[in-house]
Amino acid sequence: AVVSTQSTGSDSLAVLCSYGDIFIESLCKDASKGHGVTKILAFSLLSIILGADTYQNWLKHLNSKGYLKHFIESINTDNQNLLMGLSSDNIKPLFIYEAKLAFLAQIAQTEAGATTLLEAGIIPRLSELTILHQLPVSSELYKQHLLVQPVFTLLTSLLTSLGSKHVVANRQASHLVCVHSELIASIVKSSPGEERSKQDYQDLCVVTSLLAWLRAHQHDLHDEDVAVSIQLQSTSTQLQRHLINLLHSLQLPGKCASADTDLEVQTIKLQIITNVVTYCVSAMGNSNVIHAVFSPELGTKKGNNLNLLIGLLQKGLEASSHHSDAYSQLIHKALHVNQLSTEEQRELASCIAPDTDKCSAVQRAKYAELRLEQLADTKDKELSLYTQLIENLVYLLWRHVQYYTVYCKDPTEGVGGEPLPKKLLSANQDYIKNLTRELPLHLTDPLLKKIVDFCSSKSSASMTSSFTSALVRRVRKLMTA
């Protein structure tokens, strides 16, 4: 049934595209000048068509005819309509805006599409969205989600497609972060015991992903404008403080959740924590200059210190073990779905086809197998995130321990053989002595062995067990020096 539906969708798309330029022209005119619902449907259909346009013929058509430039420039008009609409109960402009940015995000998923959008000035237009500084009150947070999510999703897709070496895009995106820094700070700022909704976590996830990307490539930006450079540095410092505080307020998922909503939120939280730790890796700087992100204290759970990193590492290893077991169980069940009870099959199948009572036993088993494969795929993605998280935590620990026990302990032993600047030697010497003495009590042999065993069991392309094992050996050597 699923294959049949996909085949029907492909056939329908082929029929629609067979009408050629006339059909696309009609859609573009509807998206430009149609009524509210017509615009939303036109953008949605354009998104589907361009998503299936392997050779990007329709993208070239929209660009050559000026439609794409028009859609981007009309974001300013959307801004005015949103300002008026949100002051009343008219939410039609909000849904049009969401559909338009979703359409542009679809284009941004390819390098050619992202380049076209960049040349058409998409990022400066997003920077000019003043509506983002006049967000609804807390009782209407769903409107905030519909305003924020499309902007940062589009921007993240565009930067990812263009790649890390595109200095113009990175510079424009960094400027956008400065312009909307108050909004971003309000999203990433956390309070003790604060409850967030699923939509809040989604916003937080896409924003932290963007910040991690930009921080990783910030050293490539050599802005000649001193005022701009100072603003970038100030914004980065402020946001870094809020980001690290998230490591205190967010908890790594424990045992596997059951409900679909819990599963999704669990994965989003894990992605957020992974984003923040990835940000911290970049914030430490390159091999020439080290910026310590975490202080050397080990005996306290308060503050942004190495104790926080070790705690995250322990929890990450424990949680990944639960998820690894769950993944193996799901794969086994999917391979032996006929051995499941009728009630268990019905429960799994109901997530795919709600009215399972009308399904035959064979169909019900197929739906149950499909659901198990979906759950296994989610677990596999989570395990990949844990792998990335644990690798980065070990890397952060190694660089901090090396910094405090080698470079701060002996000022003449500089990075790369050069003496360290005095401003990098601000760490309290008593804390460094305590770190040298207490570190083996926190990074115990069983913990280090568990790290190596976990990494060795993974075949993820994003991480090599030999690299992490080498880091563990370096940490051991620093502790015994």
Side-chain angles (χ1 to χ4, degrees), residues 19-33:
Y19 289 101
D21 294 357
I22 297 177
F23 177 65
I24 296 297
E25 288 280 342
S26 177
L27 279 179
C28 290
K29 289 178 181 178
D30 285 342
S32 302
K33 303 176 181 178

Side-chain angles (χ1 to χ4, degrees), residues 249-281:
S249 61
L250 293 179
Q251 297 294 321
L252 278 173
K255 292 186 178 181
C256 305
S258 53
D260 278 356
T261 302
D262 293 339
L263 281 170
E264 190 173 353
V265 170
Q266 177 175 276
T267 305
I268 294 172
K269 282 184 178 181
L270 176 57
Q271 179 69 70
I272 293 168
I273 293 172
T274 304
N275 290 342
V276 174
V277 172
T278 302
Y279 178 97
C280 292
V281 169

Side-chain angles (χ1 to χ4, degrees), residues 16-319:
L16 291 174
C17 293
S18 68
Y19 289 101
D21 294 357
I22 297 177
F23 177 65
I24 296 297
E25 288 280 342
S26 177
L27 279 179
C28 290
K29 289 178 181 178
D30 285 342
S32 302
K33 303 176 181 178
H35 295 292
V37 176
T38 304
K39 284 186 175 182
I40 295 170
L41 292 175
F43 278 124
S44 299
L45 193 50
L46 283 170
S47 296
I48 294 171
I49 292 174
L50 266 68
D53 183 18
T54 307
Y55 299 104
Q56 299 174 332
N57 293 323
W58 298 123
L59 172 63
K60 296 172 184 175
H61 179 84
L62 264 63
N63 191 36
S64 64
K65 294 290 185 179
Y67 286 115
L68 200 55
K69 182 74 172 178
H70 168 73
F71 291 145
I72 292 172
E73 293 298 331
S74 66
I75 290 176
N76 285 329
T77 304
D78 295 336
N79 187 67
Q80 298 302 317
N81 292 337
L82 287 166
L83 287 170
M84 292 186 291
L86 292 181
S87 62
S88 62
D89 293 329
N90 182 16
I91 60 173
K92 188 189 301 180
L94 185 58
F95 291 119
I96 296 173
Y97 158 89
E98 183 187 24
K100 179 184 292 183
L101 292 197
F103 159 68
L104 295 175
Q106 176 63 58
I107 294 176
Q109 289 183 11
T110 66
E111 183 179 359
T115 302
T116 303
L117 291 177
L118 184 70
E119 291 173 350
I122 182 62
I123 300 181
R125 297 293 79 75
L126 295 177
S127 299
E128 295 166 0
L129 275 171
T130 58
I131 185 63
L132 297 180
H133 302 289
Q134 303 179 40
L135 293 173
V137 294
S138 59
S139 61
E140 298 179 355
L141 286 178
Y142 75 97
K143 292 183 180 179
Q144 173 178 313
H145 174 71
L146 294 178
L147 284 166
V148 170
Q149 184 79 8
V151 171
F152 293 107
T153 299
L154 168 56
L155 192 55
T156 303
S157 296
L158 185 136
L159 292 175
T160 303
S161 297
L162 290 175
S164 60
K165 300 301 182 182
H166 209 297
V167 177
V168 173
N170 291 337
R171 180 179 285 113
Q172 289 184 0
S174 297
H175 175 68
L176 181 145
V177 168
C178 289
V179 171
H180 298 311
S181 60
E182 290 187 11
L183 164 66
I184 295 172
S186 71
I187 293 172
V188 300
K189 190 175 181 179
S190 59
S191 303
E194 180 185 16
E195 291 292 331
R196 293 179 185 261
S197 67
K198 175 184 171 182
Q199 292 177 337
D200 291 333
Y201 284 121
Q202 289 173 334
D203 292 342
L204 186 56
C205 186
V206 70
V207 168
T208 53
S209 177
L210 172 65
L211 293 177
W213 172 273
L214 291 176
R215 193 64 183 83
H217 307 102
Q218 186 169 311
H219 60 276
D220 295 329
L221 303 180
H222 304 289
D223 208 310
E224 297 178 358
D225 190 328
V226 176
V228 172
S229 297
I230 293 174
Q231 185 184 20
L232 280 172
Q233 185 60 44
S234 174
T235 302
S236 179
T237 302
Q238 178 196 26
L239 293 176
Q240 179 173 310
R241 184 171 62 252
H242 292 316
L243 285 170
I244 297 177
N245 286 337
L246 287 172
L247 298 179
H248 292 281
S249 61
L250 293 179
Q251 297 294 321
L252 278 173
K255 292 186 178 181
C256 305
S258 53
D260 278 356
T261 302
D262 293 339
L263 281 170
E264 190 173 353
V265 170
Q266 177 175 276
T267 305
I268 294 172
K269 282 184 178 181
L270 176 57
Q271 179 69 70
I272 293 168
I273 293 172
T274 304
N275 290 342
V276 174
V277 172
T278 302
Y279 178 97
C280 292
V281 169
S282 301
M284 283 208 73
N286 54 34
S287 58
N288 296 319
V289 179
I290 296 177
H291 302 284
V293 179
F294 297 92
S295 62
E297 295 98 327
L298 284 174
T300 175
K301 293 183 178 180
K302 295 182 179 180
N304 302 326
N305 49 46
L306 295 186
N307 194 64
L308 174 62
L309 291 183
I310 295 173
L312 278 173
L313 183 58
Q314 292 171 329
K315 291 176 182 177
L317 288 167
E318 181 182 354

Side-chain angles (χ1 to χ4, degrees), residues 448-460:
L448 295 175
K449 184 178 183 302
K450 189 181 291 186
I451 295 169
V452 174
D453 291 344
F454 170 78
C455 297
S456 299
S457 67
K458 303 301 162 192
S459 58
S460 173

